[in-house]
Amino acid sequence: MILILVPDTRLDSPEYKQLLGHLANFSGISTRVHTEVGTEQTLTEIYLIGNTKVLSIEDVNSLPCVDRVVRVSEEYRVLGRHKNDDRPTHFDYNGVRFGQDTLNVFAGLCAVDTIEHVEMMMKALRDQGQVCTRMGAYKPRTSPYSFQGHGKTCLPYVFDVAGKYGIKVIAMEITHESHLEEIRNALYQTGNATGVMLQIGTRNTQNFELLKIVGRQQNFPVLIKRGFGITLDESLNAAEYLASEGNRKVVFGLRGMKTNMGDPHRNFVDFSHVPVVRRLTRMPVCVDPSHSVGTRASSPDGILDVMHVTAQGVIAGANMVLVDFHPAPSKALVDGPQALLMKELPQFLEDIQIAREAYEKRVALTARYREI
Ligand code: PEP
Ligand code: MN
Protein backbone atom coordinates (compact mmCIF):
# COMPACT_ATOMS: atom_id res chain seq x y z
CA MET A 1 0.00 0.00 0.00
CA ILE A 2 1.29 3.47 -0.85
CA LEU A 3 0.33 6.55 1.15
CA ILE A 4 0.76 9.66 -0.97
CA LEU A 5 1.09 12.59 1.39
CA VAL A 6 -0.20 16.10 0.89
CA PRO A 7 2.40 17.95 -1.25
CA ASP A 8 5.15 19.71 0.73
CA THR A 9 4.41 17.83 3.96
CA ARG A 10 7.24 18.63 6.34
CA LEU A 11 8.86 15.60 7.89
CA ASP A 12 9.46 17.54 11.11
CA SER A 13 5.83 18.62 11.52
CA PRO A 14 3.69 17.36 14.46
CA GLU A 15 1.11 15.96 11.99
CA TYR A 16 3.74 13.86 10.25
CA LYS A 17 4.98 12.55 13.61
CA GLN A 18 1.39 11.72 14.51
CA LEU A 19 1.05 9.79 11.25
CA LEU A 20 4.20 7.79 11.99
CA GLY A 21 2.80 7.05 15.45
CA HIS A 22 -0.36 5.58 13.89
CA LEU A 23 1.63 3.52 11.41
CA ALA A 24 3.83 2.11 14.18
CA ASN A 25 0.68 0.62 15.71
CA PHE A 26 0.02 -1.56 12.64
CA SER A 27 1.54 -4.86 13.62
CA GLY A 28 3.57 -6.80 11.06
CA ILE A 29 3.79 -3.81 8.74
CA SER A 30 6.99 -1.90 8.11
CA THR A 31 7.36 1.44 6.36
CA ARG A 32 9.67 2.89 3.77
CA VAL A 33 9.65 6.61 3.03
CA HIS A 34 10.44 8.06 -0.38
CA THR A 35 10.74 11.78 -1.03
CA GLU A 36 10.83 13.22 -4.52
CA VAL A 37 11.98 16.83 -4.70
CA GLY A 38 10.45 18.43 -7.80
CA THR A 39 10.80 21.93 -9.18
CA GLU A 40 7.36 22.97 -7.95
CA GLN A 41 6.74 20.75 -4.96
CA THR A 42 8.14 18.02 -2.77
CA LEU A 43 6.18 14.79 -2.74
CA THR A 44 6.52 12.19 -0.03
CA GLU A 45 5.22 8.66 -0.31
CA ILE A 46 5.17 6.07 2.43
CA TYR A 47 5.24 2.42 1.44
CA LEU A 48 3.56 0.03 3.85
CA ILE A 49 5.19 -3.37 3.50
CA GLY A 50 3.69 -6.54 4.99
CA ASN A 51 0.14 -7.76 5.39
CA THR A 52 -1.67 -4.62 4.30
CA LYS A 53 -4.77 -6.57 3.18
CA VAL A 54 -6.22 -6.12 6.67
CA LEU A 55 -6.11 -2.31 6.35
CA SER A 56 -9.01 -0.40 4.86
CA ILE A 57 -8.21 2.32 2.33
CA GLU A 58 -10.73 4.67 3.98
CA ASP A 59 -9.14 4.30 7.44
CA VAL A 60 -5.63 4.89 6.16
CA ASN A 61 -6.82 7.80 4.02
CA SER A 62 -8.17 9.54 7.11
CA LEU A 63 -4.77 9.63 8.85
CA PRO A 64 -2.98 13.00 9.15
CA CYS A 65 -1.01 14.25 6.11
CA VAL A 66 -2.41 11.51 3.83
CA ASP A 67 -3.70 12.79 0.51
CA ARG A 68 -4.32 9.52 -1.34
CA VAL A 69 -3.87 5.80 -0.84
CA VAL A 70 -3.02 3.29 -3.59
CA ARG A 71 -3.24 -0.43 -3.01
CA VAL A 72 -0.41 -1.98 -5.00
CA SER A 73 -0.14 -5.47 -6.35
CA GLU A 74 2.94 -7.48 -5.42
CA GLU A 75 4.50 -6.83 -8.79
CA TYR A 76 6.53 -3.75 -9.68
CA ARG A 77 5.46 -1.93 -6.55
CA VAL A 78 7.07 1.40 -7.31
CA LEU A 79 7.13 1.53 -11.11
CA GLY A 80 3.98 -0.50 -11.72
CA ARG A 81 0.67 0.95 -12.80
CA HIS A 82 -1.82 0.01 -10.12
CA LYS A 83 -5.60 0.31 -9.84
CA ASN A 84 -6.71 3.94 -9.24
CA ASP A 85 -3.07 4.94 -9.56
CA ASP A 86 -2.82 8.46 -10.93
CA ARG A 87 0.80 9.04 -9.97
CA PRO A 88 2.85 10.77 -12.68
CA THR A 89 4.18 8.88 -15.67
CA HIS A 90 6.94 11.35 -16.42
CA PHE A 91 10.05 12.97 -14.99
CA ASP A 92 12.17 15.96 -15.95
CA TYR A 93 15.92 15.92 -16.33
CA ASN A 94 18.17 18.81 -17.38
CA GLY A 95 15.24 20.61 -18.98
CA VAL A 96 13.99 17.59 -20.94
CA ARG A 97 10.76 15.78 -20.11
CA PHE A 98 10.56 12.01 -20.32
CA GLY A 99 7.11 10.52 -20.06
CA GLN A 100 4.59 8.10 -21.46
CA ASP A 101 3.20 11.02 -23.46
CA THR A 102 6.44 12.44 -24.86
CA LEU A 103 8.88 11.30 -27.56
CA ASN A 104 12.63 11.91 -27.50
CA VAL A 105 15.12 10.75 -30.11
CA PHE A 106 18.63 9.76 -29.01
CA ALA A 107 20.57 9.45 -32.25
CA GLY A 108 24.34 9.17 -31.90
CA LEU A 109 27.48 7.09 -31.93
CA CYS A 110 27.29 3.54 -30.67
CA ALA A 111 30.85 4.07 -29.46
CA VAL A 112 32.89 7.25 -29.24
CA ASP A 113 35.95 6.87 -31.49
CA THR A 114 37.30 10.31 -32.42
CA ILE A 115 36.51 13.83 -31.27
CA GLU A 116 35.90 14.76 -34.92
CA HIS A 117 33.11 12.19 -35.24
CA VAL A 118 31.61 13.31 -31.94
CA GLU A 119 31.59 16.88 -33.19
CA MET A 120 30.11 16.01 -36.60
CA MET A 121 27.35 14.04 -34.89
CA MET A 122 26.46 16.69 -32.37
CA LYS A 123 26.54 19.50 -34.90
CA ALA A 124 24.16 17.56 -37.16
CA LEU A 125 21.82 17.00 -34.21
CA ARG A 126 21.88 20.68 -33.25
CA ASP A 127 21.12 21.63 -36.87
CA GLN A 128 18.07 19.36 -36.68
CA GLY A 129 16.88 20.86 -33.38
CA GLN A 130 17.78 17.79 -31.32
CA VAL A 131 18.90 18.00 -27.69
CA CYS A 132 19.62 14.34 -26.91
CA THR A 133 22.17 11.84 -28.18
CA ARG A 134 23.81 8.50 -27.45
CA MET A 135 27.57 8.17 -26.93
CA GLY A 136 29.15 4.92 -25.78
CA ALA A 137 32.34 5.24 -23.73
CA TYR A 138 32.25 1.88 -21.96
CA LYS A 139 31.46 -0.92 -24.38
CA PRO A 140 30.62 -4.46 -23.28
CA ARG A 141 32.04 -6.60 -26.11
CA THR A 142 31.66 -10.27 -26.89
CA SER A 143 35.39 -10.69 -27.50
CA PRO A 144 37.97 -9.46 -24.98
CA TYR A 145 40.15 -8.47 -27.96
CA SER A 146 37.59 -6.07 -29.42
CA PHE A 147 37.70 -2.32 -28.78
CA GLN A 148 36.29 -1.76 -25.28
CA GLY A 149 35.53 1.96 -25.61
CA HIS A 150 37.71 4.93 -24.69
CA GLY A 151 36.30 5.00 -21.16
CA LYS A 152 36.93 8.01 -18.98
CA THR A 153 39.53 9.54 -21.30
CA CYS A 154 36.90 10.61 -23.83
CA LEU A 155 34.40 11.99 -21.33
CA PRO A 156 35.74 15.57 -21.01
CA TYR A 157 35.67 16.22 -24.75
CA VAL A 158 32.35 14.45 -25.25
CA PHE A 159 30.74 16.64 -22.56
CA ASP A 160 32.44 19.82 -23.79
CA VAL A 161 31.30 19.30 -27.35
CA ALA A 162 27.78 18.47 -26.11
CA GLY A 163 27.71 21.77 -24.25
CA LYS A 164 28.89 23.59 -27.36
CA TYR A 165 25.97 22.23 -29.42
CA GLY A 166 23.26 22.52 -26.78
CA ILE A 167 22.93 18.77 -26.17
CA LYS A 168 21.12 18.30 -22.85
CA VAL A 169 21.10 14.54 -22.33
CA ILE A 170 23.56 11.84 -23.44
CA ALA A 171 22.59 8.18 -23.06
CA MET A 172 25.75 6.38 -21.95
CA GLU A 173 26.10 2.78 -20.88
CA ILE A 174 28.01 1.97 -17.73
CA THR A 175 29.17 -1.53 -16.90
CA HIS A 176 30.79 -0.94 -13.51
CA GLU A 177 30.06 1.22 -10.50
CA SER A 178 33.37 3.09 -10.90
CA HIS A 179 32.06 4.54 -14.18
CA LEU A 180 29.47 6.49 -12.24
CA GLU A 181 32.18 8.40 -10.40
CA GLU A 182 34.14 8.95 -13.61
CA ILE A 183 31.09 10.46 -15.30
CA ARG A 184 30.33 12.60 -12.26
CA ASN A 185 33.89 13.93 -12.16
CA ALA A 186 34.04 14.68 -15.88
CA LEU A 187 30.73 16.51 -15.76
CA TYR A 188 31.98 18.56 -12.85
CA GLN A 189 35.24 19.33 -14.68
CA THR A 190 33.31 20.58 -17.71
CA GLY A 191 31.04 22.77 -15.59
CA ASN A 192 28.07 20.42 -16.09
CA ALA A 193 28.07 21.20 -19.79
CA THR A 194 25.41 18.54 -20.39
CA GLY A 195 23.48 15.74 -18.66
CA VAL A 196 23.81 11.96 -18.73
CA MET A 197 21.20 9.22 -18.79
CA LEU A 198 22.94 6.12 -17.49
CA GLN A 199 22.32 3.05 -19.59
CA ILE A 200 22.18 -0.47 -18.21
CA GLY A 201 22.85 -2.73 -21.18
CA THR A 202 21.07 -5.95 -22.00
CA ARG A 203 24.02 -7.98 -20.71
CA ASN A 204 23.68 -6.33 -17.31
CA THR A 205 19.91 -6.25 -16.92
CA GLN A 206 20.16 -8.70 -14.04
CA ASN A 207 23.43 -7.45 -12.57
CA PHE A 208 21.62 -6.77 -9.33
CA GLU A 209 24.54 -5.19 -7.48
CA LEU A 210 25.07 -2.70 -10.32
CA LEU A 211 21.33 -1.99 -10.37
CA LYS A 212 21.31 -1.31 -6.63
CA ILE A 213 24.23 1.11 -6.90
CA VAL A 214 22.73 2.95 -9.85
CA GLY A 215 19.36 2.98 -8.08
CA ARG A 216 20.82 4.54 -4.96
CA GLN A 217 21.76 7.72 -6.78
CA GLN A 218 19.03 10.06 -7.92
CA ASN A 219 21.06 12.54 -9.97
CA PHE A 220 21.09 10.63 -13.22
CA PRO A 221 18.06 9.03 -14.85
CA VAL A 222 18.52 5.48 -16.06
CA LEU A 223 17.69 3.68 -19.29
CA ILE A 224 17.50 -0.03 -18.55
CA LYS A 225 17.49 -2.35 -21.54
CA ARG A 226 15.39 -5.48 -21.57
CA GLY A 227 17.51 -8.58 -21.01
CA PHE A 228 17.85 -10.36 -24.37
CA GLY A 229 17.31 -13.85 -23.04
CA ILE A 230 14.91 -13.46 -20.11
CA THR A 231 11.19 -12.90 -19.76
CA LEU A 232 9.60 -9.47 -19.84
CA ASP A 233 8.56 -9.94 -16.22
CA GLU A 234 12.18 -10.60 -15.21
CA SER A 235 13.33 -7.45 -16.99
CA LEU A 236 10.58 -5.33 -15.42
CA ASN A 237 11.61 -6.64 -12.01
CA ALA A 238 15.16 -5.58 -12.83
CA ALA A 239 13.87 -2.05 -13.47
CA GLU A 240 12.06 -2.23 -10.16
CA TYR A 241 15.42 -2.82 -8.44
CA LEU A 242 16.42 0.71 -9.48
CA ALA A 243 13.20 2.20 -8.16
CA SER A 244 13.17 0.21 -4.93
CA GLU A 245 16.57 1.73 -4.13
CA GLY A 246 15.19 5.24 -4.67
CA ASN A 247 15.65 6.17 -8.34
CA ARG A 248 12.37 6.41 -10.23
CA LYS A 249 13.70 8.27 -13.21
CA VAL A 250 13.72 5.06 -15.20
CA VAL A 251 13.10 4.46 -18.90
CA PHE A 252 12.61 0.89 -20.12
CA GLY A 253 14.29 -0.06 -23.39
CA LEU A 254 13.20 -2.74 -25.86
CA ARG A 255 16.11 -3.90 -28.02
CA GLY A 256 15.11 -7.27 -29.43
CA MET A 257 15.50 -10.82 -28.17
CA LYS A 258 18.31 -13.26 -28.88
CA THR A 259 16.94 -16.16 -30.91
CA ASN A 260 17.55 -17.50 -34.39
CA MET A 261 13.84 -17.02 -35.05
CA GLY A 262 14.57 -13.36 -35.78
CA ASP A 263 17.07 -14.10 -38.57
CA PRO A 264 18.20 -12.33 -40.68
CA HIS A 265 17.83 -9.54 -38.12
CA ARG A 266 20.44 -9.49 -35.35
CA ASN A 267 17.70 -9.94 -32.73
CA PHE A 268 14.00 -10.70 -32.85
CA VAL A 269 12.32 -7.30 -32.79
CA ASP A 270 9.97 -7.05 -29.79
CA PHE A 271 8.40 -3.63 -30.28
CA SER A 272 4.91 -5.11 -30.06
CA HIS A 273 5.63 -4.98 -26.32
CA VAL A 274 5.64 -1.16 -26.29
CA PRO A 275 1.96 -0.96 -25.26
CA VAL A 276 2.41 -3.85 -22.83
CA VAL A 277 5.15 -2.08 -20.86
CA ARG A 278 3.13 1.14 -20.88
CA ARG A 279 0.15 -0.77 -19.51
CA LEU A 280 2.03 -2.66 -16.79
CA THR A 281 4.22 0.21 -15.62
CA ARG A 282 4.44 3.99 -15.52
CA MET A 283 7.83 4.02 -17.27
CA PRO A 284 8.43 5.78 -20.58
CA VAL A 285 9.32 3.11 -23.16
CA CYS A 286 12.34 3.30 -25.45
CA VAL A 287 12.92 1.31 -28.62
CA ASP A 288 16.38 0.58 -30.00
CA PRO A 289 15.97 -0.23 -33.71
CA SER A 290 19.75 -0.48 -34.29
CA HIS A 291 20.63 -3.26 -31.88
CA SER A 292 17.49 -5.20 -32.70
CA VAL A 293 17.79 -5.11 -36.50
CA GLY A 294 21.58 -4.90 -36.75
CA THR A 295 21.88 -4.31 -40.50
CA ARG A 296 21.30 -1.65 -43.15
CA ALA A 297 19.08 -3.94 -45.21
CA SER A 298 16.03 -2.39 -46.83
CA SER A 299 12.78 -3.67 -48.27
CA PRO A 300 11.54 -3.28 -51.88
CA ASP A 301 9.88 0.01 -50.93
CA GLY A 302 13.39 1.37 -50.35
CA ILE A 303 12.84 1.88 -46.61
CA LEU A 304 15.58 0.55 -44.32
CA ASP A 305 14.47 -2.17 -41.88
CA VAL A 306 15.86 0.07 -39.08
CA MET A 307 13.43 2.80 -40.16
CA HIS A 308 10.54 0.36 -40.55
CA VAL A 309 10.88 -0.99 -37.00
CA THR A 310 11.37 2.51 -35.60
CA ALA A 311 8.06 3.52 -37.15
CA GLN A 312 6.45 0.34 -35.77
CA GLY A 313 7.61 1.24 -32.25
CA VAL A 314 6.57 4.88 -32.53
CA ILE A 315 3.15 4.16 -34.03
CA ALA A 316 2.55 1.90 -31.01
CA GLY A 317 3.35 4.74 -28.59
CA ALA A 318 7.11 4.49 -27.93
CA ASN A 319 8.50 7.44 -25.94
CA MET A 320 12.16 7.29 -26.87
CA VAL A 321 14.22 6.08 -29.81
CA LEU A 322 17.87 5.11 -29.28
CA VAL A 323 19.62 4.75 -32.60
CA ASP A 324 23.14 4.37 -33.99
CA PHE A 325 24.42 6.93 -36.48
CA HIS A 326 27.99 7.38 -37.73
CA PRO A 327 29.67 9.88 -40.05
CA ALA A 328 31.85 7.11 -41.55
CA PRO A 329 30.39 3.70 -40.66
CA SER A 330 33.24 1.81 -42.35
CA LYS A 331 35.60 3.43 -39.83
CA ALA A 332 33.35 2.83 -36.79
CA LEU A 333 35.02 0.72 -34.11
CA VAL A 334 31.72 -0.81 -32.98
CA ASP A 335 28.54 -1.71 -34.87
CA GLY A 336 29.33 0.14 -38.13
CA PRO A 337 27.12 -2.18 -40.25
CA GLN A 338 23.92 -1.06 -38.49
CA ALA A 339 24.70 2.68 -38.33
CA LEU A 340 22.60 5.19 -40.22
CA LEU A 341 24.42 7.87 -42.25
CA MET A 342 24.46 11.55 -41.37
CA LYS A 343 22.59 12.40 -44.56
CA GLU A 344 19.80 10.07 -43.38
CA LEU A 345 19.20 12.01 -40.16
CA PRO A 346 16.61 14.50 -41.53
CA GLN A 347 14.71 11.67 -43.25
CA PHE A 348 14.81 9.53 -40.11
CA LEU A 349 13.44 12.35 -37.95
CA GLU A 350 10.71 13.17 -40.47
CA ASP A 351 9.74 9.51 -40.72
CA ILE A 352 9.45 9.39 -36.91
CA GLN A 353 7.24 12.47 -37.03
CA ILE A 354 4.92 10.76 -39.51
CA ALA A 355 4.66 7.72 -37.24
CA ARG A 356 4.09 9.88 -34.16
CA GLU A 357 1.29 11.79 -35.86
CA ALA A 358 -0.26 8.50 -36.92
CA TYR A 359 -0.06 7.31 -33.31
CA GLU A 360 -1.76 10.48 -32.08
CA LYS A 361 -4.49 10.07 -34.69
CA ARG A 362 -5.01 6.46 -33.57
CA VAL A 363 -5.40 7.59 -29.96
CA ALA A 364 -7.94 10.25 -31.00
CA LEU A 365 -9.78 7.72 -33.17
CA THR A 366 -10.04 5.28 -30.30
CA ALA A 367 -11.31 7.99 -27.95
CA ARG A 368 -13.96 8.95 -30.51
CA TYR A 369 -15.20 5.39 -30.88
CA ARG A 370 -15.24 4.93 -27.12
CA GLU A 371 -17.68 7.80 -26.80
CA ILE A 372 -20.12 6.17 -29.21
C1 PEP B 1 24.16 -0.22 -26.88
O1 PEP B 1 23.08 0.41 -26.84
O2 PEP B 1 25.24 0.27 -27.22
C2 PEP B 1 24.15 -1.64 -26.52
C3 PEP B 1 25.27 -2.33 -26.34
O3 PEP B 1 22.90 -2.12 -26.40
P1 PEP B 1 22.42 -3.51 -25.78
O4 PEP B 1 22.83 -3.50 -24.35
O5 PEP B 1 20.94 -3.46 -26.00
O6 PEP B 1 23.10 -4.60 -26.59
MN1 MN C 1 26.18 -1.06 -30.40
Side-chain angles (χ1 to χ4, degrees), residues 109-111 134 139-141 173 199 203 225 255 266 288 290-291 324 334-336 338:
L109 306 182
C110 176
R134 58 159 295 146
K139 299 304 300 177
R141 304 303 304 281
E173 177 166 0
Q199 195 176 314
R203 292 158 188 82
K225 295 277 198 91
R255 47 84 67 216
R266 183 173 171 183
D288 178 342
S290 303
H291 290 85
D324 290 359
V334 186
D335 284 347
Q338 70 195 23

